[in-house]
Amino acid sequence: MAYLFKRNCPICGSSDARTVLTFSRFQFYTDRKASDNKVDIQQNMCRICYTLYLNPGYSKRGFSVLFAEAGQSYGSSEGRPLEQIAWLEARGMTAPGTRFLDAGCYQGDFLALLPESVQKIGVDIDRPALSKATNKRIANAQFIHGDFDTFRISQKVDVITLFHVLEHLPDPVAVLKNLRRSSHGNTRLVVEVPILEQGKTNDVNGFFSVQHMTHFSKRSVHNAFVKAGWRIDEVSPQQDYNGYRIVATPGEAQSTVEGDPQDAVILDDYFATWYKALTVVNEKIARLPGVDSVVIWGGGAHTEFLYQLTTLFSFPNSRKFVIVDGDPLKQGKSWRGIGIHRPQLLQGMDWSRQILLISSYGSQEKIRHECKKYGVPEHKIFTLYDSLRTY
């Protein structure tokens, strides 16, 4: 329980909610000797404003333990920051002399791509990541360590960005209010979050990422903005991935908000699609050849979802499992007692009585290519998805 804390609805504050999804003893990444890293996860829908949110949420200690290995397991796809900057440039937000704040800057890679003439400020709660950002000596940039809902800067800024950060934070309204304090009358706030309306996918992870504290819909994210004192001027749903981009300027705060019961209908429709996707994956697992061992490429959250939602590890047989992963943070460790090795282990393996199963969604085809480089026969490589949604 040191990893968790009880929370009310992060938008309206109500404690009246119903549980819509539960994972028991969900494990975050590799086994830990010093402490357990399994938690019971409950996703809830507020009965008052229909906001979807994690409850209990993760405490600061919980974040530090549960996400210790998340750096290479979670992030934007290659090329996404360039698209975001081009989008900002088209709206005049990167002009020379612009005071620019990136909340959730991590190692500063996004700020490094901005024009040198922009005055850059990066804020993050990850001190090691900020140290790496500072060491990059990014032109015209400074970095601040602090919580997103309490940090302070000495000068008002012209543009604030939060790309896929708000959904990870326990109190999104407090964060938006704090950003309001760093703004002047013409400051533009750019926020992007995934939303329920765009959540349909054939990925077993689904919309309810266990790394997210609030699962926004169009209505609930709008409510968060107006309650915090921001006026939404533009919305831009991204077409090739689940991203709902919002531009807002300072406005009048509303003390109360109204939800939309249609969100409950959208949720039911989402679950119908997700369960169909799980059925397809389970059918593929049931058709795997009867071999002595299965090599799994992927020691991250996707493999834990397979453990939680499929028959891969519970099917009554004597199969043995081995995991390989390209992430150095996982190599040499284990997941639920199964060792995690470098991909080089694949070289020279005898594939007569074993197969390789790719446990990934977005990287499925890239991993398939890597497997072939290490000499895995094509007919011994098995995947779970016939098509991939572009991210």
Side-chain angles (χ1 to χ4, degrees), residues 311-326:
T311 61
L312 179 63
F313 298 98
S314 58
F315 193 78
N317 57 38
S318 57
R319 283 177 184 160
K320 295 181 179 179
F321 292 93
V322 176
I323 296 175
V324 298
D325 197 293

Side-chain angles (χ1 to χ4, degrees), residues 339-350:
I340 303 176
H341 308 270
R342 299 168 63 206
Q344 285 81 354
L345 179 72
L346 302 176
Q347 293 174 325
M349 266 190 170
D350 178 7

Side-chain angles (χ1 to χ4, degrees), residues 28-86:
F28 284 73
Y29 306 106
T30 62
D31 301 328
R32 293 175 64 92
K33 294 180 180 179
S35 59
D36 190 10
N37 59 340
K38 300 180 181 69
V39 294
D40 294 337
I41 294 173
Q42 290 186 330
Q43 309 291 2
N44 301 272
M45 174 172 265
C46 176
R47 295 183 189 274
I48 306 302
C49 73
Y50 301 96
T51 296
L52 291 159
Y53 64 100
L54 184 77
N55 187 35
Y58 307 122
S59 65
K60 290 183 180 180
R61 181 181 175 189
F63 270 116
S64 66
V65 173
L66 302 179
F67 300 103
E69 299 168 19
Q72 294 194 31
S73 301
Y74 187 85
S76 63
S77 60
E78 187 175 354
R80 183 60 57 196
L82 292 174
E83 178 277 322
Q84 292 165 343
I85 289 174

Side-chain angles (χ1 to χ4, degrees), residues 244-305:
Y244 190 66
R245 199 169 292 175
I246 298 168
V247 180
T249 49
E252 294 296 324
Q254 297 182 12
S255 58
T256 61
V257 294
E258 292 185 4
D260 186 349
Q262 183 66 23
D263 278 3
V265 178
I266 297 171
L267 177 64
D268 288 341
D269 185 49
Y270 159 77
F271 274 130
T273 300
W274 185 56
Y275 284 122
K276 288 179 181 178
L278 293 181
T279 299
V280 171
V281 169
N282 266 311
E283 288 173 346
K284 285 180 173 288
I285 289 172
R287 293 195 299 266
L288 290 176
V291 293
D292 296 334
S293 64
V294 177
V295 180
I296 298 173
W297 186 310
H302 188 277
T303 299
E304 178 67 21
F305 272 100

Side-chain angles (χ1 to χ4, degrees), residues 11 32 63 74 84 94 123 132 148 154 161 174 190 192 220 224 237 247 273 302 304 318 345 369-370 379:
I11 306 301
R32 293 175 64 92
F63 270 116
Y74 187 85
Q84 292 165 343
T94 60
V123 175
K132 293 180 180 179
F148 297 108
S154 59
T161 53
V190 181
E192 185 175 292
S220 61
V247 180
T273 300
H302 188 277
E304 178 67 21
S318 57
L345 179 72
H369 179 71
E370 290 294 308
H379 70 284

Side-chain angles (χ1 to χ4, degrees), residues 56-363:
Y58 307 122
S59 65
K60 290 183 180 180
R61 181 181 175 189
F63 270 116
S64 66
V65 173
L66 302 179
F67 300 103
E69 299 168 19
Q72 294 194 31
S73 301
Y74 187 85
S76 63
S77 60
E78 187 175 354
R80 183 60 57 196
L82 292 174
E83 178 277 322
Q84 292 165 343
I85 289 174
W87 190 90
L88 294 169
E89 288 177 345
R91 287 156 177 78
M93 298 190 203
T94 60
T98 298
R99 295 188 299 275
F100 197 106
L101 170 65
D102 185 32
C105 66
Y106 195 50
Q107 296 181 12
D109 293 338
F110 176 80
L111 289 176
L113 294 171
L114 290 171
E116 291 189 4
S117 59
V118 172
Q119 299 177 37
K120 311 172 188 76
I121 303 172
V123 175
D124 208 289
I125 60 174
D126 189 332
R127 193 181 295 275
L130 287 177
S131 296
K132 293 180 180 179
T134 302
N135 291 338
K136 293 177 181 178
R137 301 185 183 277
I138 299 169
N140 210 12
Q142 62 173 306
F143 295 95
I144 299 171
H145 177 260
D147 291 333
F148 297 108
D149 54 354
T150 59
F151 79 88
R152 295 289 185 270
I153 56 176
S154 59
Q155 197 174 24
K156 305 292 185 180
V157 295
D158 304 310
V159 178
I160 305 171
T161 53
L162 287 92
F163 286 111
H164 289 267
V165 174
L166 197 64
E167 66 269 25
H168 293 273
L169 306 178
D171 194 341
V173 173
V175 172
L176 294 173
K177 285 181 177 179
N178 191 44
L179 295 177
R180 183 76 167 74
R181 298 184 186 100
S182 299
S183 68
H184 53 68
N186 296 317
T187 295
R188 285 183 283 181
L189 170 65
V190 181
V191 174
E192 185 175 292
V193 295
I195 57 171
L196 179 63
E197 288 88 343
Q198 296 176 212
K200 289 183 179 180
T201 175
N202 57 331
D203 182 2
V204 297
N205 289 267
F207 173 69
F208 287 95
S209 170
V210 295
Q211 298 142 324
H212 295 172
M213 299 271 272
T214 307
H215 310 284
F216 289 106
S217 66
K218 291 180 181 179
R219 169 60 68 176
S220 61
V221 73
H222 178 273
N223 283 341
F225 271 74
V226 298
K227 193 169 184 182
W230 291 96
R231 180 181 64 251
I232 295 178
D233 298 325
E234 179 184 354
V235 295
S236 178
Q238 302 305 295
Q239 299 303 312
D240 58 346
Y241 70 104
N242 192 351
Y244 190 66
R245 199 169 292 175
I246 298 168
V247 180
T249 49
E252 294 296 324
Q254 297 182 12
S255 58
T256 61
V257 294
E258 292 185 4
D260 186 349
Q262 183 66 23
D263 278 3
V265 178
I266 297 171
L267 177 64
D268 288 341
D269 185 49
Y270 159 77
F271 274 130
T273 300
W274 185 56
Y275 284 122
K276 288 179 181 178
L278 293 181
T279 299
V280 171
V281 169
N282 266 311
E283 288 173 346
K284 285 180 173 288
I285 289 172
R287 293 195 299 266
L288 290 176
V291 293
D292 296 334
S293 64
V294 177
V295 180
I296 298 173
W297 186 310
H302 188 277
T303 299
E304 178 67 21
F305 272 100
L306 293 181
Y307 177 88
Q308 292 278 340
L309 298 167
T310 75
T311 61
L312 179 63
F313 298 98
S314 58
F315 193 78
N317 57 38
S318 57
R319 283 177 184 160
K320 295 181 179 179
F321 292 93
V322 176
I323 296 175
V324 298
D325 197 293
D327 186 348
L329 289 173
K330 299 180 178 67
Q331 295 164 2
K333 299 178 182 178
S334 63
W335 168 85
R336 293 189 177 272
I338 302 172
I340 303 176
H341 308 270
R342 299 168 63 206
Q344 285 81 354
L345 179 72
L346 302 176
Q347 293 174 325
M349 266 190 170
D350 178 7
W351 294 98
S352 60
R353 291 296 301 165
Q354 59 186 349
I355 60 172
L356 187 142
L357 178 67
I358 297 175
S359 176
S360 175
Y361 185 73
S363 300

